[in-house]
Amino acid sequence: MAATALREQLNGLVNSMFAEGLLDQQFQQLQMLQDGSTPGFVAEVVTLFCEDSERILTELTKLMDQAVVDYSKVDAYVHQLKGSSSSVGAQNVKLACIQFRQFCEENNKEGCVRALNVVKHEYCHLRSKFETMLQLESRIQAYENKQQN
Amino acid sequence: MGGGKERIEKGRRRVRGLLALQFKNGVNSWEDLDENLVGSCFPCGGILVGWLISPLSFPSSPPPPQRIQSSESKREPNQHQPNPSQPPPPLLLPFLHLPSSYDHSFIAAVVVEGNQQQQQQQQEVEEEGMTVEAEAPFHVLAVDDSLIDRKLIERLLKTSSYQVTTVESGSKALELLGFREDQSSTPSVSPNQHEIEVNLVITDYCMPGMTGYDLLKKIKGSSSLKDIPVVIMSSENVPSRISRCLEGGAEEFFLKPVQLSDLKRLRPHILKGKSNCKGQKQQQPQPENNNNNGSSSSSSSSSNNCSNNQSNKRKAMDAMDEGLSPGRTRPRFSSDSLTVV
């Protein structure tokens, strides 16, 4: 059954993300909150996270491009990103944010620039996996809907 | 008065309404439920004739709906006129199917028939437009500037059977709560349309503008809102921050990300908040209107929240007994004990 194969693929993907440290147990909490009445919950949260992160990363890039960096603003954004990544279980992104905040506190421009790159890298890696995850989920959903009809 | 009398006559025979009573604690078995409800007279003058119970609530299957003896027959005969007519026949009722998120509590709905002795109360209750909803769980107001966190806390709370409203700032929260800056004594204002009745506020600490701590202080400083329990959340584990919040009147401090298991800690605070409310009410010599707890609300079910959901069985009985003895003139808060769950 095609849906079963897809499910296996999806589970495999998610498991590998846990294994790699891309996701932590908070993501499992999200999965637990999804049920029959809220089938799209994880997808919704993941999508919101991606949109939010991209907005923040854009702002951070602009701020770091300034001749004189406003570290309090930078810190505020990183704090936001750290919060949302923590809430969705995006472990590597969260850890990268924690590092970033360290450099902010020290007003270390070079450190911050590097840290921003790490955050972007981690985020991009995560996003591509999330995209695959959501595609698999919607294909599975499509199969299940067909079966019901 | 003729039309009214006729209406009440009809009401006597018809099912008056579906009252849902929600017990959060203290009722763990069918026997407990039985003790709570059997022999309870309802302020609207009802006789418990049957019930709908969530099949999810107890492990064993529920007993069939049955005719429950009215407590009237247990009362001293000289307290009220005896009911001259036949008791109404029992009704067979279907089970109420509730979503699985209700397995932490249960809802017992009782079908009540009108009783001629309590015509007065019935009329009052009808006139108040007693709203009966199948389920109206505790209402939590969640405040967080992060959209993702709002989504998350909303889902967590709904999964735990709470009704949720989310807002993005402390000032929005205060607006919704109907906070007024110069409230130093019980206000007697007309209800603000935007006001809602909440049983608990859960707020993020770090927010632009008004922090969660600021919001806490405002709520605790308001005579109408101070009894609403407040819980603070933060992604940062800063002991001095935590103690400051707790000293400022917060009931709990949750570290983010908040999990389902954390929400279990909310219940005792919500229940305590409700009994504070009830306490306030009882202190007043005459509860003259539904707004006596100060937080006026446009819905008649507002102060209902105060008397319902007693965790203590005895309290539940007392609350219901309040409306009972026909000799007393029933104050308008009669519908309160019924709530409206």
Side-chain angles (χ1 to χ4, degrees):
Chain A
M1 171 116 26
T4 315
L6 285 176
R7 274 214 179 282
E8 275 176 20
Q9 221 180 321
L10 177 59
N11 289 342
L13 171 64
V14 174
N15 286 339
S16 75
M17 289 169 83
F18 281 119
E20 276 179 68
L22 283 179
L23 295 177
D24 62 27
Q25 73 103 357
Q26 176 60 18
F27 189 78
Q28 283 168 334
Q29 289 278 318
L30 292 189
Q31 290 174 309
M32 272 167 31
L33 288 174
Q34 178 165 299
D35 62 20
S37 66
T38 54
F41 178 68
V42 174
E44 192 188 356
V45 175
V46 163
T47 308
L48 276 177
F49 169 71
C50 290
E51 286 168 359
D52 203 42
S53 303
E54 277 161 44
R55 171 188 65 89
I56 291 174
L57 289 173
T58 307
E59 292 302 315
L60 282 172
T61 308
K62 279 191 216 161
L63 286 170
M64 292 308 303
D65 270 346
Q66 308 284 329
V68 180
V69 175
D70 184 342
Y71 290 103
S72 64
K73 279 194 182 155
V74 171
D75 185 70
Y77 276 116
V78 180
H79 173 80
Q80 271 185 52
L81 184 56
K82 176 186 149 244
S84 53
S85 55
S86 163
S87 294
V88 310
Q91 185 173 252
N92 279 357
V93 175
K94 176 185 78 173
L95 292 174
C97 288
I98 292 174
Q99 291 276 330
F100 196 157
R101 287 190 87 192
Q102 247 338 97
F103 291 121
C104 276
E105 253 175 77
E106 297 161 12
N107 286 8
N108 179 342
K109 179 154 185 180
E110 202 188 297
C112 283
V113 169
R114 275 187 285 126
L116 176 57
N117 283 334
V118 173
V119 173
K120 283 177 174 172
H121 173 80
E122 291 297 341
Y123 167 71
C124 286
H125 186 197
L126 178 62
R127 186 185 63 185
S128 75
K129 301 258 171 157
F130 270 156
E131 277 169 3
T132 311
M133 185 199 300
L134 295 188
Q135 278 167 22
L136 283 170
E137 274 207 20
S138 72
R139 283 169 68 193
I140 292 170
Q141 204 57 47
Y143 264 109
E144 288 177 348
N145 291 345
K146 239 196 263 179
Q147 280 172 354
Q148 279 166 12
N149 296 343
Chain B
M1 189 61 196
K5 195 174 172 191
E6 189 191 24
R7 185 181 57 175
I8 285 156
E9 278 293 316
K10 282 184 183 159
R12 229 195 101 243
R13 276 183 276 281
R14 240 192 343 247
V15 169
R16 272 279 289 124
L18 202 65
L19 307 176
L21 304 169
Q22 187 173 21
F23 296 88
K24 294 287 185 178
N25 295 310
V27 184
N28 300 307
S29 65
W30 295 111
E31 290 66 42
D32 281 356
L33 172 62
D34 222 42
E35 273 186 334
N36 268 282
L37 294 179
V38 173
S40 295
C41 272
F42 298 90
C44 76
I47 302 170
L48 172 58
V49 298
W51 51 47
L52 314 176
I53 303 214
S54 160
L56 299 166
S57 45
F58 299 134
S60 58
S61 40
Q66 54 196 293
R67 180 83 176 88
I68 305 298
Q69 191 184 19
S70 159
S71 71
E72 286 179 356
S73 51
K74 297 179 188 169
R75 300 168 64 79
E76 286 154 53
N78 58 4
Q79 276 190 352
H80 61 90
Q81 307 161 23
N83 185 347
S85 60
Q86 290 278 11
L91 302 168
L92 285 179
L93 303 164
F95 286 124
L96 190 67
H97 288 283
L98 298 174
S100 58
S101 57
Y102 277 85
D103 55 4
H104 292 292
S105 63
F106 73 90
I107 304 235
V110 304
V111 177
V112 179
E113 285 211 25
N115 182 307
Q116 207 162 24
Q117 274 68 51
Q118 273 101 351
Q119 280 179 28
Q120 184 60 29
Q121 291 90 330
Q122 272 189 15
Q123 192 162 26
E124 276 176 21
V125 165
E126 281 182 32
E127 280 164 11
E128 276 178 344
M130 180 178 81
T131 352
V132 177
E133 293 151 30
E135 49 216 48
F138 295 120
H139 187 187
V140 177
L141 177 63
V143 189
D144 201 316
D145 58 316
S146 156
L147 175 56
I148 288 170
D149 287 344
R150 283 201 300 278
K151 277 266 169 252
L152 194 55
I153 196 74
E154 181 187 45
R155 184 96 299 273
L156 283 168
L157 288 166
K158 283 185 170 167
T159 299
S160 308
S161 321
Y162 296 106
Q163 184 195 343
V164 190
T165 300
T166 60
V167 291
E168 60 189 357
S169 69
S171 43
K172 279 256 160 58
L174 290 176
E175 198 185 305
L176 266 189
L177 291 169
F179 172 82
R180 283 171 197 84
E181 197 67 58
D182 53 3
Q183 263 178 3
S184 46
S185 54
T186 314
S188 55
V189 278
S190 51
N192 179 336
Q193 312 188 274
H194 299 294
E195 279 173 32
I196 55 173
E197 188 76 9
V198 310
N199 305 119
L200 185 133
V201 172
I202 182 165
T203 176
D204 188 23
Y205 183 91
C206 280
M207 296 189 291
M210 193 186 293
T211 66
Y213 181 78
D214 297 331
L215 176 59
L216 167 70
K217 295 305 276 179
K218 290 254 190 239
I219 289 175
K220 293 299 166 185
S222 154
S223 60
S224 60
L225 305 178
K226 66 177 163 56
D227 288 324
I228 300 177
V230 180
V231 169
I232 304 212
M233 311 179 272
S234 176
S235 53
E236 288 164 331
N237 190 349
V238 180
S240 57
R241 177 185 293 181
I242 297 175
S243 36
R244 197 165 156 248
C245 288
L246 294 176
E247 279 158 27
E251 308 290 340
E252 287 269 358
F253 192 99
F254 288 163
L255 281 179
K256 284 177 156 182
V258 177
Q259 303 188 341
L260 264 180
S261 50
D262 293 323
L263 295 197
K264 296 198 162 93
R265 286 151 62 190
L266 291 184
R267 277 200 202 295
H269 303 302
I270 287 196
L271 292 171
K272 185 181 72 167
K274 285 208 175 292
S275 51
N276 280 347
C277 226
K278 185 181 196 310
Q280 266 188 359
K281 211 190 283 275
Q282 284 177 338
Q283 275 157 27
Q284 296 201 354
Q286 276 157 12
E288 51 281 325
N289 56 33
N290 280 341
N291 296 332
N292 57 6
N293 66 356
S295 54
S296 46
S297 162
S298 44
S299 79
S300 63
S301 62
S302 64
S303 348
N304 292 348
N305 290 337
C306 294
S307 314
N308 75 350
N309 305 317
Q310 301 294 349
S311 51
N312 188 324
K313 250 191 273 183
R314 176 161 270 293
K315 279 189 198 164
M317 295 290 281
D318 288 347
M320 297 193 206
D321 280 341
E322 266 172 27
L324 293 201
S325 70
R328 261 187 265 154
T329 318
R330 191 83 185 103
R332 283 183 54 116
F333 77 89
S334 62
S335 60
D336 291 359
S337 305
L338 297 179
T339 306
V340 207
V341 165

